[in-house]
Amino acid sequence: MSLPAGRVESFAAPAGFDKALGESLGVAAPGEIYVASAGIGGMPGSLGIWPEAAVRAMRPSGGLVDVLARVGAAGLIATARGDGAPYDFISRFFAPGKGVPEDPVTGSAHATLTPFWAKRLGKRNLRAYQASPRGGDLLCTDEGARVILAGPCALYMRGEIEV
């Protein structure tokens, strides 16, 4: 898939937001928090960086929706640098206030994460893993204004669209 590259911007979190975010996911507070352009329907969300083990261990509670609402976030991209081969980074995506408790594999989140991690890691081609219960492997390429995502997918519908 070819998707527009998302943006990540600095974020001055309100006092206690990081701790409340971590608690709502059953893990410690994130080390860094940003505003991400990816989200449900292109609405902004939060992006938090944790250690890989914390991202994998997340068990969201019903409180996550209230924590995200405090900052007007439609969803949360939780991410970590990969602890080793084969993944450069891992992620999870939650948008409980929009009817998505956890998305199995999220293209819009990876359209934002790819340029973010490409810049940090100094790489254009990245291997990613979305650590949802179903899980998903992605090959991500930073093409500047666009991101190319590839990998196996789960077919859920067949149809035709007439334009």
Side-chain angles (χ1 to χ4, degrees):
M1 289 191 311
S2 174
L3 298 171
R7 295 180 325 277
V8 175
E9 300 169 4
S10 61
F11 175 62
F17 176 74
D18 56 346
K19 182 178 179 196
L21 186 59
E23 288 173 354
S24 72
L25 295 164
V27 296
E32 300 171 51
I33 301 175
Y34 299 92
V35 173
S37 63
I40 301 296
M43 295 167 50
S46 291
L47 184 146
I49 301 176
W50 282 267
E52 181 175 330
V55 172
R56 291 180 182 272
M58 290 176 175
R59 301 292 176 262
S61 70
L64 178 59
V65 69
D66 295 327
V67 173
L68 293 174
R70 286 175 46 189
V71 295
L76 169 69
I77 302 170
T79 190
R81 181 178 181 157
D83 284 342
Y87 302 112
D88 295 300
F89 67 92
I90 70 161
S91 66
R92 292 178 72 181
F93 181 79
F94 308 97
K98 300 297 180 190
V100 183
E102 180 169 8
D103 194 47
V105 183
T106 315
S108 61
H110 285 87
T112 295
L113 289 168
T114 298
F116 177 81
W117 284 112
K119 183 177 178 183
R120 281 189 168 208
L121 300 175
K123 297 173 74 172
R124 195 173 147 249
N125 298 303
L126 302 158
R127 286 193 51 123
Y129 180 69
Q130 187 148 339
S132 66
R134 187 184 90 197
D137 291 296
L138 297 100
L139 300 174
C140 309
T141 303
D142 182 5
E143 295 281 343
R146 298 197 70 81
V147 169
I148 308 300
L149 302 177
C153 62
L155 180 64
Y156 71 94
M157 181 188 321
R158 289 187 192 272
E160 291 183 26
I161 299 174
E162 193 170 316
V163 182

